[in-house]
Amino acid sequence: GLKHVTDAALAAVLAKLSEQGALNDFGAHSRRSVARAVAADLDQATPYGTVLQTLELPLASSELGTSFSWCFCHPAAVLCWLASGSRVYSQLLEDLLAKKPSSCSTPWNIMFYVDEATPGNLLATDNTRKSVCFYWAFREMGQELLSKENNWYLLGVLRSKVLASVRGGL
């Protein structure tokens, strides 16, 4: 439940807990082992492939090359991954589908949200780390669920500089 915890702070907490014997069955005791565990979890197969997939984005200018390989979260794979890992989430989807079934003739509505974020000093003259974040959700989740950021699924993040070079733009 902690917010704004850096990787270094997480590693320090894990090291302290490990020293006290509290992580015997946890398996991850360092930043790298946590990163490996997350990567392995996201690399699990779903009927739609793995959660993280790559899409080639054609670039208009040759400054960055002819295309950019964008790593994004496949929406259908994300739903499978979340539902298989959480009985509570799986039940939420079942309840929503019972209220309004999604079919070819009456599909659920997908909403997109795009936001630009600038890490670090917002007033810096060189904001090369500025990025655009893409999120999506189902309108059928309703206002109460959609008002919580946890119910908006990350599609991906793309540096603003790269996005400016993508053929067709945003």
Side-chain angles (χ1 to χ4, degrees), residues 110-129:
I110 297 176
M111 301 184 307
F112 287 96
Y113 170 67
V114 179
D115 195 8
E116 191 169 53
T118 306
N121 183 357
L122 296 176
L123 301 177
T125 56
D126 181 24
N127 285 323
T128 56
R129 297 186 315 160

